[in-house]
Amino acid sequence: GQNIDQPTEMTATEGAIVQINCTYQTSGFNGLFWYQQHAGEAPTFLSYNVLDGLEEKGRFSSFLSRSKGYSYLLLKELQMKDSASYLCAVRPSGGYQKVTFGIGTKLQVIP
Amino acid sequence: EAQVTQNPRYLITVTGKKLTVTCSQNMNHEYMSWYRQDPGLGLRQIYYSMNVEVTDKGDVPEGYKVSRKEKRNFPLILESPSPNQTSLYFCASSASYTGLDYYGYTFGSGTRLTVV
């Protein structure tokens, strides 16, 4: 089975940097997703990490440590539109389609 | 436009009345999946399909059925809906490619189902 933990809520200031952490325990691991979900909308893909290290995509970066079962999503130069839930999800080895999602971290960006 | 289309967006029904939520994708994706999303529980996988006529249970399959007769369609069937199936449902699809530039699931807009 898989267990994914991430903070329930976070608040950050417009223009600042915020780091959203995700820890996981899994019997087999292929990769880790981050998705963004605005209230009432569908999740949208942000990143997929397979190898250890940091991957940067514009204002968003995602880090993975496979040995520690740990990932984080880093959001820079926060904008009001970044207020959303951020979902961490794990893709297991073997059963590629049994992707398990964490509960999500609701981020509120304040002026 | 590449997309996953779910219908209906909203549905209110009564206990025991069979219903089908449709899902169609135009990206020629092999993989399709259904999730439900509930407050405090996150997205939980109901069923998934790796290709035509190949389906398997996710974490919460009880009370649901699926079929994959065509690559583009993956309907979710509730034979006898109950109030505990009131939820927000998402269909999703992805390519089978699993390389480092894999871009994960594309989700439909969601179906908000209320069973009274």
Side-chain angles (χ1 to χ4, degrees):
Chain A
Q2 299 175 80
N3 187 44
I4 300 172
D5 289 312
Q6 48 181 135
T8 306
E9 295 182 348
M10 298 182 71
T11 301
T13 305
E14 190 176 15
I17 300 172
V18 71
Q19 178 174 311
I20 302 174
N21 295 324
C22 172
T23 59
Y24 62 90
Q25 296 89 39
T26 180
S27 54
F29 179 84
N30 180 270
L32 186 142
F33 295 98
W34 284 97
Y35 284 85
Q36 180 190 60
Q37 185 179 25
H38 286 99
E41 298 183 8
T44 55
F45 174 83
L46 290 177
S47 65
Y48 180 58
N49 291 66
V50 176
L51 304 177
D52 285 355
L54 184 69
E55 292 194 7
E56 300 185 64
K57 290 185 181 180
R59 294 191 299 115
F60 291 10
S61 302
S62 56
F63 171 84
L64 176 67
S65 169
R66 295 173 66 115
S67 62
K68 295 182 179 177
Y70 168 69
S71 173
Y72 66 74
L73 180 69
L74 193 70
L75 291 73
K76 303 176 185 176
E77 301 170 14
L78 280 173
Q79 302 175 8
M80 299 300 290
K81 68 178 182 179
D82 296 330
S83 293
S85 289
Y86 292 87
L87 313 180
C88 172
V90 170
R91 193 186 200 198
S93 56
Y96 286 151
Q97 291 312 300
K98 289 186 71 67
V99 175
T100 299
F101 283 80
I103 291 175
T105 299
K106 186 174 182 180
L107 173 66
Q108 183 181 14
V109 180
I110 57 176
Chain B
E1 179 188 355
Q3 61 185 0
V4 177
T5 303
Q6 276 180 247
N7 280 297
R9 287 294 306 276
Y10 301 92
L11 179 61
I12 301 174
T13 190
V14 297
T15 299
K17 185 177 181 182
K18 181 179 178 180
L19 66 91
T20 299
V21 183
T22 63
C23 174
S24 181
Q25 51 93 5
N26 63 0
M27 296 166 281
N28 200 36
H29 283 168
E30 290 82 7
Y31 296 155
M32 297 186 76
S33 187
W34 276 102
Y35 285 86
R36 62 177 289 175
Q37 188 172 36
D38 303 287
L41 297 176
L43 281 162
R44 293 180 293 167
Q45 193 173 44
I46 303 170
Y47 269 96
Y48 63 93
S49 170
M50 297 180 72
N51 215 322
V52 176
E53 302 292 0
V54 181
T55 63
D56 206 349
K57 296 177 181 178
D59 296 318
V60 288
E62 294 77 20
Y64 304 94
K65 286 176 56 178
V66 293
S67 68
R68 188 92 180 273
K69 293 183 169 57
E70 305 165 282
K71 197 173 187 179
R72 62 184 292 120
N73 295 324
F74 190 45
L76 179 69
I77 303 157
L78 285 73
E79 293 272 3
S80 183
S82 62
N84 65 10
Q85 292 179 298
T86 293
S87 186
L88 178 59
Y89 291 86
F90 287 103
C91 179
S93 73
S94 74
S96 60
Y97 177 62
T98 58
L100 294 180
D101 59 348
Y102 177 62
Y103 54 84
Y105 275 124
T106 300
F107 283 84
S109 298
T111 296
R112 189 167 291 281
L113 173 66
T114 302
V115 183
V116 298

